[in-house]
Amino acid sequence: MKLVLATSNKGKVREIKELCKEYEVISYGELIEEFEIIEDADSFKENALIKARAVFEALKDSSQEYDKDLVVIADDSGISVDVLDGKPGVYSARYGGKNANDKENLYKLIKDIKAKGVESSPAHYTASIAIVTNKGEYSVHGWMYGVALTEAIGDGGFGYDPMFIPLGYDNTLGELDDEIKKKLSHRSKALDLAKKIIKTF
Ligand code: ITT
């Protein structure tokens, strides 16, 4: 079965391909030209559904790519920091400004935690995975808890990983092996649940 990913985030594509080796996984940009999707909901769940629906409809419109068993998957995710009352949360991708890149978002978050007068704060990642098919729509979630630091260490992973230490470890996801993140991550937990649904198709 082919799974089409409704994302243009290369870090997510790499991780989801790694985590779903039993399926043929392709990003929608390999099928049609990528387009802007406005994620204006206030929950991870709704934003993931917006992305999956938009790509499902776009593939349906581009008749040559459409088949009735099409399965589109979207991931909406982010980091929530306790000392910032859960920010940036659903705004994680735009925390450093509308067109901010991963590094700008990361350093803005470090600056804001420092401004609270602390060196670290409990934090967690959330991932909502939406699945859109002809048979219906489905949503699942996964979480990873840990500590957000006021420094970036290591260059593994992507996004906020260099400032995040998962619970039970002493190093950031920027330093830890990819295999460790694979076992612990919000994305892998949500995908484990998504696979239980996909298996029934
Ligand atoms: P798509 O919407 O195209 O999927 P995006 O990057 O805009 O790509 P989101 O709206 O879901 O994706 O934003 C997620 C943000 O949270 C983004 O800034 C990521 O870098 C960050 N993020 C999500 N999962 C992460 C992870 O596993 N490690 C580090 N940062 C992560």
Side-chain angles (χ1 to χ4, degrees), residues 3 42 53 55 61 77 84 87 92 99 106 109 123 125 143 145 149 183 188 192:
L3 306 181
D42 57 9
R53 284 179 194 137
V55 168
D61 289 346
S77 43
L84 299 176
K87 286 194 191 113
S92 294
N99 297 313
L106 172 87
L109 188 55
Y125 278 112
W143 291 270
Y145 285 81
L149 304 180
K183 287 200 194 93
S188 70
D192 282 347

Side-chain angles (χ1 to χ4, degrees), residues 6-9 12 15 39 51 75-79 92-93 102 105 125 158-161 181 186-187:
T7 179
S8 43
N9 181 315
K12 288 185 189 176
E15 287 189 7
E39 302 167 39
K51 292 187 269 195
D75 164 311
D76 199 67
S77 43
I79 189 168
S92 294
D102 272 11
N105 287 331
Y125 278 112
F158 68 97
Y160 298 97
D161 285 342
K181 184 176 180 191
H186 48 312
R187 186 161 294 108

